[in-house]
Each structure stands twice: as structure tokens, then as C-alpha cells.
Amino acid sequence: MSPGGTTVTDRQPDAAHRAGDRGRVVHLLFGFFPAQVIHAIAQLEVAEHLAAGPLPLDELARRTGTHPPSLYRLLRAAAALDLVRLEPGGLAALSPDGGLLRRAAPGSVGRLAMLFCGDQTWRSWGELAESVRTGQPAFDSITGRSAFAFLAEHPELAAVFTEAMAEVSRAAAPAVVASCDLSGIATLADLGGGNGTLLSEFLAATPGLRGILFDTAEGLGDADEVLAAAGVADRTEQVAGDFFTAVPPRCDGYLLKSVLHDWNDEDCLRILATTRAAMGPHATLFVVEPVVPTDREGLARAQVTLMSDLNMLVCTGGRERTEDEFSTLLAGAGLRLTDVTRCPPPTGYSVLRAVPA
């Protein structure tokens, strides 16, 4: 008996509760297995080969250059994840979820799978504990380069990165566009805008708006095709440059989406300082990022944001930030945070609006 008259065993979790907790943790522990199944399906372009219809296993193995028995084992696991279907007669077919791994599919996540489960990111996550010990990105020690320097030296991977970011922007664009008030803005500069996927959505939704797409020459990628396909090429100027040095001046609006989280505070201040120097007294900056909640309930719902924060830790040295942290950064560059608009679900982004202080 305890001093209060309660037996010690009364205060212990029952066996079912203990087993349930263990099962949940084991499920989390094995979470990387499905991720690599998705990566293998994407890397082997299984979804592309099945897009036109079911194929016999041997034919699919021939097209993917794989060992038929091993391919069957991969497909069997993928079928358990509802990515493919194994049909009578030894045929493999694509499921709706598996169709999202096709590059041309609406809502595609194929390049995301290649990026986040690819060698460098995968190995960086394997060194998460070391990054926690040192505060330094594991990516740098694994590759001998910072993430963006490595991408600059590996154009094929850089293309995957650009396409993966375009997949994210494409999915988030309707909510982001709806959350940005462009009243009074005639020219919007998308800084670090990649191939123009997001800027195209802004221009398509806002007749008369003109855009400046600003990124490195490599980062602009297939912008010509993206802008032309959206029908906004005639309203867009492409400018290659470095936002650490200077950005296009005298625009009414500036957009930084998923840029600041890539960098540490010192580098963010440099980016914001060059942006502030380019802004006129009545210009507006829109920062589109997840905002880390500070309350317990909010944190419980922010798993994707918190995992992204750790991804920044191991890969780039950046971080996801709270509203106060954003406000402090902006103030350090001579900008004042005026309001924060939470984008409608399912996106986890917010739009932070800032003006010259």
C-alpha cells in the first residue's frame, strides 16, 4: 500500500495499455520501410510504365531492368500499401495512390520521393543525432559541401530538387494565392521562385498583374515551358541572380516562399536585408512558410512542420520558426510584421505580411 492507501499495482498501466504503446512505437520505428518502397517504385518508374494499363510481371521487369522475383516482392509490398494492384493472371496495375508517383499526374509526389528518400537526404537523416550534438547539418559532412553548393555541382539532382519544390508549390498554390491580398500590387517578384510554378498561379488568378521570376540560372530550370504552359510568359520577366547580393528593385510586392526555412538566422537576415534594400516605402513582402505553434495542442497537430524542422537541421542548417522568431528576423532587416494569415487546409503554410518599418 502507498501512504495514501492506493496499492502500487493500481498505479501501473495495464498490460493492454503497455502493449498498445509498444505497438505504436514499433510502427513508428519501422516507418522508414514504406518510405523506401515508395522511393523504389519512383526510382524504377513503375508508375510511368503502368500508366497505360496493367502489364505482365515479366514485361514490367524487362521495362524497369529488374530481377523478376525481386520485383514481385517489391510489388507485393507496394500492393499492401495500396500503391499497386496485383491482378489475376500475373498482371500488375497502378492504383490511384500509386498514380501520384507519375511525374505528370495532378498532385504528383514522384520527385518528392526521389528527393527526400534519395541518397544524400537519407544519409543525412541517419546522422540526426550527430546534428543534434553539433547543431550542424549532417549533409555537409556527408557530401563535403553545403546542400545548395552540392546541388550546383550536380545538375541532375538539382533538376529533381526544382521539380520536387514545384510539386509542393503546385499543391499549395490555390491556398497560398487565396491568402495573399495583392490589392495595389502591379508587379510581384518571386524571389527564389524556381521554375515559376507558384508565380504562374498568382498571375493566372490576377489579370493585369506582372511578375518577375528571380532565381539562380540553374534554379530557373524549365521556367520557359512552365510559364508558357500557364499562358503567362508575356507577363513575366525572368531574372537570374543571387538573393544574398541583390534582388530586382522597385516592385510593389515581393514573395519568399519556402526560402527562409532553408537558412540559419544570419543568412536569413542577409536575404531580408537585400530585399528590404530593393523595396520602396510602400512595397509589401509576403513570406510563405509554416509557422511553428507554441502551445501544446498546436504542437500535437504540427507533426509535418516539426519533421520539416529536423529535415532543415540535418540538410541545410535552416529551421522552421515561430511567429515571434519571424517577427524578430524581419525587424532585424528593417521590416515590420503586420499580420499572419493561416492558409486554408490541407496546406500547413501561413502568409506573413511585412512592410518597411
Side-chain angles (χ1 to χ4, degrees), residues 78-326:
L81 298 174
D82 199 25
L83 298 173
V84 300
R85 292 172 181 158
L86 298 178
E87 299 184 344
L91 295 175
L94 200 57
S95 73
D97 284 355
L100 294 173
L101 296 175
R102 292 181 54 225
R103 293 176 67 171
S108 174
V109 296
R111 299 303 95 180
L112 279 172
M114 294 296 293
L115 178 66
F116 287 114
C117 295
D119 180 60
Q120 292 79 26
T121 305
W122 194 256
R123 290 166 60 200
S124 297
W125 269 90
E127 297 295 331
L128 173 60
E130 186 62 19
S131 284
V132 171
R133 289 190 188 100
T134 65
Q136 300 301 311
F139 192 103
D140 295 26
S141 60
I142 287 169
T143 66
R145 308 270 189 292
S146 70
F148 291 104
F150 188 85
L151 288 175
E153 295 175 1
H154 295 81
E156 290 186 5
L157 183 59
V160 171
F161 175 83
T162 297
E163 291 180 44
M165 295 304 98
E167 288 178 350
V168 174
S169 291
R170 198 173 293 117
V176 172
V177 171
S179 300
C180 290
D181 181 2
L182 298 186
S183 301
I185 293 177
T187 303
L188 179 67
D190 188 357
L191 308 180
N195 66 8
T197 296
L198 181 58
L199 183 59
S200 294
E201 296 282 349
F202 273 100
L203 294 169
T206 315
L209 179 68
R210 300 196 63 82
I212 295 178
L213 181 62
F214 180 83
D215 209 316
T216 63
E218 298 79 12
L220 291 171
D222 58 345
D224 287 341
E225 291 82 359
V226 171
L227 297 168
V232 298
D234 61 333
R235 290 192 281 139
T236 309
E237 178 186 358
Q238 296 181 47
V239 178
D242 178 359
F243 51 39
F244 286 112
T245 303
V247 303
R250 297 180 299 279
C251 297
D252 308 297
Y254 290 85
L255 177 67
L256 283 169
K257 180 198 169 289
S258 300
V259 170
L260 298 183
H261 78 160
D262 285 330
W263 305 95
N264 60 34
D265 287 356
E266 181 180 354
D267 287 333
C268 283
L269 283 170
R270 292 170 60 202
I271 296 167
L272 291 170
T274 59
T275 304
R276 174 64 184 89
M279 296 172 69
H282 304 295
T284 301
L285 170 65
F286 300 96
V287 175
V288 181
E289 301 269 2
V291 174
V292 178
T294 55
D295 62 291
R296 181 180 297 181
E297 290 185 4
L299 287 170
R301 296 190 299 268
Q303 185 178 111
V304 172
T305 297
L306 300 179
M307 294 303 113
S308 177
D309 179 52
L310 292 179
N311 191 57
M312 295 301 104
L313 171 63
V314 300
C315 288
T316 71
R319 63 187 303 152
E320 306 295 356
R321 293 176 171 88
T322 65
E323 182 177 331
D324 285 347
E325 288 170 335
F326 276 117

Side-chain angles (χ1 to χ4, degrees), residues 46 58 80 275 278 283 298 333 354:
V46 169
D58 286 346
T275 304

Side-chain angles (χ1 to χ4, degrees), residues 9-26:
T9 53
D10 286 341
R11 294 156 65 183
Q12 303 301 313
D14 59 38
H17 181 71
R18 291 198 304 273
D21 284 349
R22 184 181 187 280
R24 186 184 73 84
V25 173
V26 169

